[in-house]
Amino acid sequence: MTVDSDPYDFPVDPAFKTITKGEACFHIWRIEKMKVVPVPKDQYGKFYTGDSYIIYSAEVVKNVLRMHIHYWQGKESSQDEMGVAAYKTVELDDYLGGAPIQHREPQGAESDRFKHYFKNCVRYLQGGVDSGFNHVDKKIKPALMHVKGKRQVIIKDVDIKWDSMNDGDVFILDLDNIIFVWCGKDANKYEKVKGMEVARQLRDERGKADIVAVDDGEEKKLKSQEKRLFHEFLPIDQKQVKSASEGGEDEGTVRATVSEIKLYLCKEEDNELRVEFKKPGPLYKEDLDPDDSFIIDNGAAGIWVWNGKESTRRERREAMNNAICFIKQNDYPDNTPVTCVVDGGEPAKFKWLFKIWPEPQVNLKRTYSINKVAQTVQTKFDATEMHSQPALAAATQMVDDGSGNLQIWRIENFTVVPLDEKFHGQFFGGDCYIILYTYKVKNRIARIIYYWQGLKCTIDERGASAMEAKRIGDEHNGEPVQVRVVQGKEPAHFMAMFKGKMITYEGGKAGWGQNNDSEIGDSHMLQVRGTNTYNTKAMQVEKRAASLNSNDVFVLVQNNGVTYVWAGKGSSADEREMAKCIAGQNGREFTMTLEGQEKDDFWQAIGGKEDYSSDKRLKEEHPDWSPRLFQCSNASGVFKAEEICDFTQQDLVEDDVMLLDVYTSLFLWIGKGANKQERDLGQKTAIEYIQTDPSGRDPDTPICEITQGFEPPNFTGFFGIWDRELWSKGKTFEELKKELGADNIGVNFLDQKAILKGPPDFAEYKKYPIKELLKRDRQGLPRDIDPAAKEMYLSDEDFKEVFGMSFENYSEQKPWKKIQLKKKVGLF
């Protein structure tokens, strides 16, 4: 067969031409009547189950533009619409040079990355274009919404009836003027908080509405008018809901073992595409031939498609279709994730599937270089062009370049006080602020109200900031968009307003003695993070060497006028330049100091040398890995591990166990509220995590168990800015060790073989004197003692003396009787 022309050589869809190549941006399109149509910004995060969507995200990470294309498929979307979304995704990928990573996102099985774009939540709406549903329908119809998930919550509309509900989740009954938030008795705290947040958003969108919280089983205690309305839609006397288990599990972490992973070759021969099995795991990078395309079958965790640099255009264009056909041929679930990557642009999660993935040396030959950004990242924004297109950067919250007009107030004595312009960009962690941002959209005035809440402000101040933000919004007829911003989680547009000079100081304004006539004068140290004026911020840290981190840049300001900029070995040139901008404010001169080249005057200024976060991985400017954090919990009755993206210290949940993977080792962080079962299962999960790693991880990879409040620097360094005041009363790890007289306090390397073997028999436990076991304080006990099983560490003689019976007789008692006996002798 002779091919006269390339069937894939056609113009790009006009909808995609609004993309500015090489710049950070975020766009969403919906397939409407087989055409690509932009989605208005105020509809971002809402997806109709009868439609298909395309999402494009480009963000700068360590001076590299990371591009991702997702096509979302509603469960009720037609095959034609899904087909259009699929080939338009390929068309967009081709338009961008083949560099983006492609993701197939079936409804209900979206990737963490997809859900992370929508900080508030992802909401499913019934219907679609063909059903006559309209995005701009202003009439509020009664609706029941199902709130499910943990950190990334999914909200979907369900039928208004008790049979749609279960006691493991949260449901919102929206009746326009009144919004009921019903919390199942086994719902997790994230769902409850998110349910209230969504209810507040619904109220704010329509101007006013009453929000009523209803606990499972407390429906009859509602006020008469509220109960009448609730009963009208959900008859209380007919209540019958499903159990939490019947409601389905929240998402966990799944992946194939090294023996289950498989590699398939996709090759074009004689104008035909064929897929053939190549080998089972473990896989190596050299298994991938740049002349071809490959499918990596990772079982329930998803299918990956890898396109070699020299693969044919048809092989690249048909890669996603091949993967979907592969799923059907192997009878995998329809919602199996599919991700398509390009040779040279593989994400860390893909590399983890391989036992060995050596990083190449600098190569000047042909590469997919469209995703590379110059040393100084192009950050120019054309606000006029951005507002002429409806797809705005929701991923970075950039509505313009931040050059609009600013009015800022600080909350003082529960009222607003204007902030002098010379202090714009300076925040205090013990205070709350309100920012009214005014800008123009096609000669029309638009406004955003940010209310920023410091991590150490009081609850009353937070409440006052929210109320004042609403009051200011009402003064402008409720038009401004209101955005709550928590310290440390500032969106890019918020930082862009201060042109790379945003600084957060410790404490409150009063603690510094700041007034409208004085500058910050106290000696202090700032940790600077960011690579340009749109993402840079500085936060005050304790002025001592223990606060340093090899992956960041710090500014040390002294009262004597001497200022240092200290750059860790893992910091980039752009990060150093932004730190210089912070240090040079108000005409200050500074001395540049590189890690490892410090002079005595620097160490004297910072208070002397100390250990700090300087893990060799932190010293790599462009590491080939990314640390991963998982939350491990059995709060729902089933033990699960859920990954957390873009984590900070605030993401460590005190009631759970957290697993931090830095590849060379694993850290198991034990929150003070974690129960014994979570701790035990967390240990086994960490071991299984290593053993089942498709990359064939060294089975002896060390696992370090850490107690909350006793975090060592080789752990805290991966969280960026670490607040020692939060759990450690301001003390460093070394100071805690010295104070408690122990070398390994709070840190324990797990004996993996012993854990897998299971608990020892009574005779196998190490024995301790009774006086050691009677200590109430957990920290006072020997490290290897399980506080919940102190009796196991008694010798035979001591056991008989303490309990008045042998261990054999004790083991025959009922569980409640054992607890009673332990309480009686002080071992509970």
Side-chain angles (χ1 to χ4, degrees):
M1 176 179 178
T2 302
V3 181
D4 296 325
S5 62
D6 188 345
Y8 301 108
D9 190 11
F10 47 80
V12 69
D13 194 293
F16 297 148
K17 290 186 177 180
T18 57
I19 295 173
T20 302
K21 294 183 179 180
E23 292 187 4
C25 61
F26 188 84
H27 299 260
I28 301 180
W29 301 271
R30 183 169 72 154
I31 305 302
E32 298 184 8
K33 301 186 184 304
M34 306 303 150
K35 292 184 178 180
V36 180
V37 179
V39 173
K41 177 181 178 291
D42 61 1
Q43 295 295 317
Y44 282 8
K46 298 176 182 178
F47 296 88
Y48 283 81
T49 59
D51 290 331
S52 294
Y53 295 77
I54 298 173
I55 297 92
Y56 171 62
S57 168
E59 58 182 341
V60 177
V61 180
K62 284 285 186 181
N63 300 327
V64 175
L65 190 67
R66 304 293 188 190
M67 294 181 285
H68 295 264
I69 302 173
H70 309 253
Y71 73 97
W72 185 88
Q73 301 172 328
K75 288 184 177 179
E76 299 165 9
S77 179
S78 69
Q79 288 296 323
D80 288 341
E81 287 179 327
M82 287 191 281
V84 170
Y87 85 72
K88 285 294 181 182
T89 295
V90 176
E91 184 179 311
L92 175 57
D93 178 74
D94 210 39
Y95 176 63
L96 296 170
I101 295 173
Q102 297 179 43
H103 308 261
R104 173 176 174 260
E105 305 284 359
Q107 178 186 335
E110 294 87 350
S111 64
D112 288 337
R113 171 174 287 278
F114 178 91
K115 289 183 286 188
H116 189 67
Y117 295 144
F118 309 101
K119 297 292 186 181
N120 291 327
C121 62
V122 174
R123 182 179 175 186
Y124 301 147
L125 300 173
Q126 293 179 340
V129 174
D130 291 339
S131 66
F133 279 73
N134 194 310
H135 280 313
V136 294
D137 185 4
K138 299 297 184 183
K139 185 177 179 180
I140 306 299
K141 299 178 181 179
L144 182 64
M145 289 166 270
H146 182 186
V147 182
K148 188 172 185 64
K150 287 190 177 178
R151 295 181 178 272
Q152 302 297 334
V153 174
I154 295 290
I155 297 177
K156 63 180 178 181
D157 288 13
V158 294
D159 293 336
I160 305 178
K161 56 182 182 180
W162 286 111
D163 191 51
S164 301
M165 303 166 67
N166 70 82
D167 55 21
D169 294 320
V170 171
F171 294 80
I172 298 173
L173 178 60
D174 182 6
L175 304 180
D176 192 7
N177 291 325
I178 185 167
I179 302 170
F180 294 95
V181 181
W182 185 89
C183 301
K185 61 183 179 67
D186 294 324
N188 68 60
K189 59 186 178 183
Y190 300 105
E191 291 167 339
K192 293 177 181 178
V193 170
K194 185 57 67 174
M196 294 303 294
E197 287 182 1
V198 171
R200 282 196 293 268
Q201 290 168 12
L202 293 171
R203 178 195 64 191
D204 294 343
E205 286 175 3
R206 62 194 64 159
K208 62 178 182 178
D210 293 327
I211 298 175
V212 179
V214 186
D215 287 329
D216 188 358
E218 303 294 317
E219 296 85 1
K220 293 182 178 180
K221 295 182 181 180
L222 288 167
K223 295 178 181 178
S224 58
Q225 181 69 5
E226 296 169 352
K227 184 162 64 175
R228 183 186 66 79
L229 285 169
F230 187 88
H231 180 81
E232 182 180 341
F233 291 89
L234 291 169
I236 297 174
D237 55 353
Q238 298 177 22
K239 176 188 174 184
Q240 189 169 1
V241 300
K242 299 173 183 176
S243 66
S245 59
E246 290 175 310
E249 295 184 6
D250 297 335
E251 292 185 58
T253 300
V254 292
R255 59 179 180 174
T257 65
V258 66
S259 60
E260 294 172 338
I261 198 167
K262 298 179 180 66
L263 181 68
Y264 292 81
L265 171 67
C266 304
K267 193 171 183 65
E268 180 181 12
E269 288 185 353
D270 300 327
N271 209 30
E272 290 186 2
L273 285 170
R274 58 185 179 84
V275 178
E276 63 179 44
F277 176 72
K278 188 169 176 67
K279 62 169 292 190
L283 304 182
Y284 300 84
K285 184 178 181 180
E286 54 263 33
D287 293 330
L288 304 176
D289 187 339
D291 290 336
D292 296 311
S293 291
F294 292 84
I295 289 177
I296 294 88
D297 179 5
N298 197 23
I303 304 299
W304 292 80
V305 180
W306 182 88
N307 289 322
K309 291 187 178 119
E310 306 300 332
S311 59
T312 68
R313 193 175 186 185
R314 185 183 179 191
E315 286 173 338
R316 296 196 300 272
R317 279 186 165 273
E318 293 294 334
M320 187 65 76
N321 285 336
N322 286 339
I324 295 172
C325 291
F326 181 87
I327 288 173
K328 293 178 180 178
Q329 291 172 359
N330 287 274
D331 292 326
Y332 286 167
D334 291 338
N335 61 0
T336 301
V338 178
T339 307
C340 188
V341 302
V342 66
D343 185 359
E346 301 88 350
K349 285 188 177 181
F350 179 84
K351 297 176 183 178
W352 289 331
L353 301 173
F354 292 76
K355 183 176 181 64
I356 296 178
W357 189 279
E359 288 304 309
Q361 300 299 314
V362 176
N363 189 349
L364 300 180
K365 296 181 180 180
R366 177 189 172 196
T367 61
Y368 283 91
S369 59
I370 191 169
N371 66 329
K372 299 296 180 182
V373 181
Q375 187 65 18
T376 300
V377 179
Q378 173 57 260
T379 56
K380 182 179 182 294
F381 280 85
D382 185 339
T384 304
E385 182 179 346
M386 289 182 71
H387 288 296
S388 68
Q389 45 184 288
L392 301 175
T396 55
Q397 298 296 300
M398 295 298 292
V399 297
D400 69 351
D401 61 356
S403 60
N405 182 60
L406 285 175
Q407 288 179 269
I408 304 180
W409 299 267
R410 181 172 48 231
I411 300 296
E412 291 187 21
N413 297 321
F414 309 112
T415 188
V416 291
V417 176
L419 189 68
D420 191 290
E421 187 173 343
K422 67 181 178 182
F423 295 124
H424 284 191
Q426 295 182 7
F427 296 84
F428 290 85
D431 293 332
C432 291
Y433 298 78
I434 297 174
I435 298 97
L436 175 61
Y437 181 75
T438 306
Y439 61 108
K440 284 189 176 182
V441 183
K442 295 181 179 178
N443 296 319
R444 179 180 63 83
I445 297 296
R447 297 179 177 89
I448 300 175
I449 296 175
Y450 292 103
Y451 55 105
W452 185 93
Q453 299 174 338
L455 291 176
K456 296 183 180 178
C457 66
T458 65
I459 295 177
D460 290 339
E461 286 173 328
R462 292 176 194 167
S465 68
M467 288 189 292
E468 289 294 336
K470 185 178 185 304
R471 180 186 63 77
I472 294 173
D474 291 341
E475 290 178 356
H476 295 280
N477 301 316
E479 169 228 312
V481 176
Q482 296 184 30
V483 182
R484 174 176 173 263
V485 179
V486 177
Q487 178 185 338
K489 298 285 187 178
E490 295 84 2
H493 184 259
F494 187 91
M495 292 183 280
M497 295 189 299
F498 305 106
K499 307 297 184 290
K501 296 182 179 180
M502 177 187 169
I503 303 175
T504 303
Y505 296 100
E506 282 292 308
K509 164 245 182 185
W512 282 79
Q514 179 187 348
N515 55 55
N516 289 337
D517 300 318
S518 65
E519 302 290 344
I520 298 291
D522 302 57
S523 177
H524 58 277
M525 188 162 76
L526 303 172
Q527 186 169 1
V528 184
R529 310 200 94 191
T531 58
N532 56 58
T533 57
Y534 298 99
N535 66 10
T536 296
K537 60 184 175 183
M539 290 187 67
Q540 186 190 358
V541 294
E542 189 176 2
K543 188 176 71 98
R544 58 186 299 179
S547 299
L548 298 174
N549 185 321
S550 294
N551 202 40
D552 287 322
V553 187
F554 294 77
V555 175
L556 174 59
V557 180
Q558 298 188 93
N559 287 334
N560 60 9
V562 178
T563 299
Y564 296 91
V565 175
W566 182 91
K569 292 181 179 179
S571 63
S572 69
D574 286 338
E575 288 171 328
R576 294 191 285 272
E577 287 302 313
M578 295 313 301
K580 291 176 184 177
C581 292
I582 294 285
Q585 289 189 63
N586 304 319
R588 279 195 304 246
E589 295 184 358
F590 55 85
T591 301
M592 195 72 197
T593 302
L594 302 178
E595 182 178 12
Q597 300 178 25
E598 303 89 349
K599 295 182 179 178
D600 290 341
D601 57 346
F602 171 81
W603 292 119
Q604 184 177 354
I606 205 172
K609 294 183 179 181
E610 292 179 285
D611 289 336
Y612 59 86
S613 299
S614 57
D615 186 281
K616 64 179 181 179
R617 294 274 181 177
L618 293 172
K619 294 180 180 179
E620 298 176 15
E621 183 175 341
H622 299 289
D624 57 0
W625 57 277
S626 297
R628 307 176 72 186
L629 182 69
F630 298 86
Q631 178 183 358
C632 306
S633 174
N634 66 350
S636 65
V638 180
F639 185 82
K640 304 185 209 57
E642 180 182 11
E643 185 166 8
I644 300 167
C645 300
D646 297 333
F647 55 84
T648 65
Q649 182 183 3
Q650 282 68 41
D651 289 311
L652 295 173
V653 180
E654 298 187 24
D655 293 336
D656 290 329
V657 170
M658 313 294 290
L659 189 153
L660 176 68
D661 177 14
V662 300
Y663 196 76
T664 54
S665 60
L666 259 65
F667 293 95
L668 203 62
W669 182 87
I670 311 297
K672 64 181 181 182
N675 58 48
K676 183 180 185 298
Q677 185 182 23
E678 287 172 333
R679 179 176 174 175
D680 291 346
L681 290 174
Q683 293 176 345
K684 293 179 180 178
T685 297
I687 296 171
E688 183 181 351
Y689 179 86
I690 292 173
Q691 292 179 339
T692 62
D693 192 328
S695 68
R697 183 91 63 99
D698 182 350
D700 294 325
T701 298
I703 303 174
C704 181
E705 188 179 84
I706 295 171
T707 303
Q708 178 184 344
F710 297 89
E711 296 84 0
N714 61 332
F715 174 84
T716 61
F718 293 99
F719 290 81
I721 296 170
W722 186 270
D723 183 2
R724 285 191 295 272
E725 292 287 347
L726 196 59
W727 301 317
S728 307
K729 298 180 181 179
K731 295 182 174 65
T732 66
F733 182 68
E734 292 300 320
E735 289 170 337
L736 288 170
K737 287 201 302 183
K738 185 176 180 180
E739 178 181 300
L740 296 172
D743 288 335
N744 65 337
I745 189 69
V747 177
N748 176 42
F749 284 93
L750 301 186
D751 184 341
Q752 299 181 32
K753 292 181 180 179
I755 292 172
L756 292 175
K757 180 182 177 182
D761 294 332
F762 176 71
E764 295 177 315
Y765 277 85
K766 183 179 180 180
K767 305 304 178 181
Y768 286 92
I770 183 64
K771 65 177 182 179
E772 287 290 317
L773 300 172
L774 289 173
K775 293 179 180 179
R776 294 282 184 180
D777 184 4
R778 178 175 177 173
Q779 300 300 338
L781 289 171
R783 180 64 193 174
D784 57 351
I785 288 182
D786 181 355
K790 293 180 181 179
E791 72 277 12
M792 303 299 289
Y793 301 89
L794 290 168
S795 65
D796 287 324
E797 295 77 14
D798 286 343
F799 196 98
K800 289 178 181 178
E801 182 180 343
V802 171
F803 286 96
M805 66 179 74
S806 66
F807 177 78
E808 289 73 19
N809 290 336
Y810 170 83
S811 61
E812 295 173 356
Q813 306 297 316
K814 294 184 181 296
W816 66 266
K817 182 64 174 178
K818 291 180 181 179
I819 293 175
Q820 196 176 60
L821 289 169
K822 290 201 289 184
K823 284 182 176 179
K824 185 177 180 180
V825 299
L827 289 178
F828 182 72

